[in-house]
Amino acid sequence: MKKRWYDYLWIVELTYLVLGFFNILFAWMGLLFFFIPLIIAAARGTKGYCNRYCGRGQIFGLLGGRFGLSRKKDIPRWMKSKWFRYGFLIFFFIMFFQMLWNTYLVFAGAQDLRQVVTLLWTFKLPWNWAYHGTLFHPGVAQFAFGFYSVMLTSTVLGLITMVLFKPRSWCVYCPMGTMTQLICRAKNRKGDLATEQKG
Amino acid sequence: METRIKRRAVVDGSACVACGCCAKVCPLSAIQIWRGVRAVVNADKCVGCGKCAKECPASVIEIQEVRP
Ligand code: SF4
Ligand code: SF4
Ligand code: SF4
């Protein structure tokens, strides 16, 4: 099938992840990957981001598909259940707000900047090589470390489920994907009956 | 000569995550994401090749035989 410009957005995602190894402040750019999907869902009522522009999904698709780094087995039933998907979304939110709280504490001067990237909400990796000071408040850097932790954690989880199940298994429980689908559901509630008939 | 059995893709809409992986691989553009909620198959276009079912990360597409 014909490739479009947006089929290459995986390069942007990869660049983002690599830049975080050199200067953590680039992590701020990741806010785009948060807001663009939500804006598309809220404004247009579609999952256009997932369906077209998401570079992360493309990376998993390429590595698991083209490069064959996936067993291509069915994902376990519980992982696609609403319980797990919504549960993971809530868990993700809680951890996100905890990260924001830590950032706030640094801004408020109650806590020193911690130059670590926390993987899977547990493992603290020293990341001081990627910090060269900031012109702004240390809190700006703390947010960068926290946000990059979120991005790296979801990448690692996505890679694990890519290998175990189908390439884009992450998309089944991706919090952004779940959230945008919820927004679209809410926006398009009136049309529900029509879809049921289409099968 | 026996008649060819027709097949087509059927989506379990309640479990679909609307990721769009299926739409990306369908050679006939017979499956599309309906308003970010779920995938919908165009029964007239679908030939039941199964590409979408193979790709679907949630494995919610089934290829079913249909009577003509
Ligand atoms: S579900 Fe998540 S990873 Fe998958 S395409 Fe959507 S935003 Fe990207
Ligand atoms: S690939 Fe599967 S889960 Fe994703 S939109 Fe298509 S049918 Fe739904
Ligand atoms: S079975 Fe083949 S033709 Fe039908 S929707 Fe899936 S990919 Fe398209």
Side-chain angles (χ1 to χ4, degrees):
Chain A
M1 237 171 295
K2 204 172 137 252
K3 290 260 188 210
R4 312 265 190 154
W5 65 269
Y6 49 75
D7 289 322
Y8 298 94
L9 285 173
W10 60 271
I11 299 171
V12 176
E13 178 76 24
L14 197 64
T15 311
Y16 174 80
L17 290 170
V18 170
L19 283 176
F21 279 81
F22 292 98
N23 192 331
I24 197 67
L25 294 178
F26 281 115
W28 275 85
M29 283 183 0
L31 282 176
L32 289 175
F33 305 142
F34 260 63
F35 283 116
I36 293 172
L38 294 178
I39 290 170
I40 294 178
R44 310 208 39 211
T46 72
K47 277 190 46 157
Y49 185 78
C50 292
N51 302 165
R52 285 194 171 163
Y53 311 116
C54 179
R56 169 178 307 258
Q58 288 171 13
I59 288 185
F60 296 140
L62 281 174
L63 291 178
R66 181 99 38 100
F67 290 91
L69 298 173
S70 169
R71 295 196 311 153
K72 304 209 169 119
K73 299 274 188 223
D74 289 348
I75 199 166
R77 195 171 291 267
W78 60 268
M79 279 187 88
K80 54 180 167 177
S81 70
K82 296 226 162 30
W83 278 105
F84 181 71
R85 290 181 62 214
Y86 296 150
F88 189 72
L89 176 65
I90 292 165
F91 171 74
F92 201 85
F93 257 111
I94 294 171
M95 298 321 265
F96 197 83
F97 280 109
Q98 198 202 16
M99 184 275 280
L100 290 180
W101 176 246
N102 278 328
T103 305
Y104 164 76
L105 288 180
V106 172
F107 268 113
Q111 195 174 285
D112 289 331
L113 172 65
R114 279 184 281 193
Q115 299 175 29
V116 291
V117 163
T118 314
L119 201 58
L120 300 168
W121 307 281
T122 319
F123 308 106
K124 300 210 184 306
L125 316 175
W127 212 264
N128 36 359
W129 71 76
Y131 183 58
H132 318 286
T134 167
L135 295 172
F136 315 100
H137 196 278
V140 171
Q142 189 64 69
F143 178 79
F145 279 110
F147 201 80
Y148 194 71
S149 303
V150 172
M151 297 306 263
L152 203 62
T153 296
S154 47
T155 307
V156 168
L157 276 180
L159 287 173
I160 294 171
T161 48
M162 172 193 84
V163 172
L164 289 177
F165 313 118
K166 293 213 184 159
R168 282 180 61 164
S169 298
W170 166 255
C171 294
V172 174
Y173 62 103
C174 167
M176 289 317 292
T178 309
M179 224 183 323
T180 48
Q181 193 186 24
L182 283 175
I183 295 172
C184 292
R185 266 227 184 96
K187 269 193 82 106
N188 300 315
R189 191 162 289 152
K190 269 176 262 146
D192 262 1
L193 197 70
T195 25
E196 292 312 321
Q197 285 159 351
K198 274 187 219 166
Chain B
M1 231 175 80
E2 52 187 313
T3 44
R4 271 181 64 200
I5 308 160
K6 271 196 176 170
R7 293 171 209 276
R8 76 172 174 102
V10 176
V11 180
D12 173 3
S14 65
C16 171
V17 300
C19 59
C21 302
C22 50
K24 240 175 211 173
V25 296
C26 177
L28 298 161
S29 308
I31 187 162
Q32 245 129 30
I33 307 304
W34 182 82
R35 296 190 191 174
V37 175
R38 54 164 293 187
V40 174
V41 179
N42 180 337
D44 298 331
K45 281 192 188 169
C46 175
V47 292
C49 69
K51 278 198 176 176
C52 54
K54 236 172 130 185
E55 198 74 13
C56 176
S59 305
V60 297
I61 306 178
E62 215 183 295
I63 304 299
Q64 290 180 357
E65 291 179 5
V66 281
R67 278 166 237 282

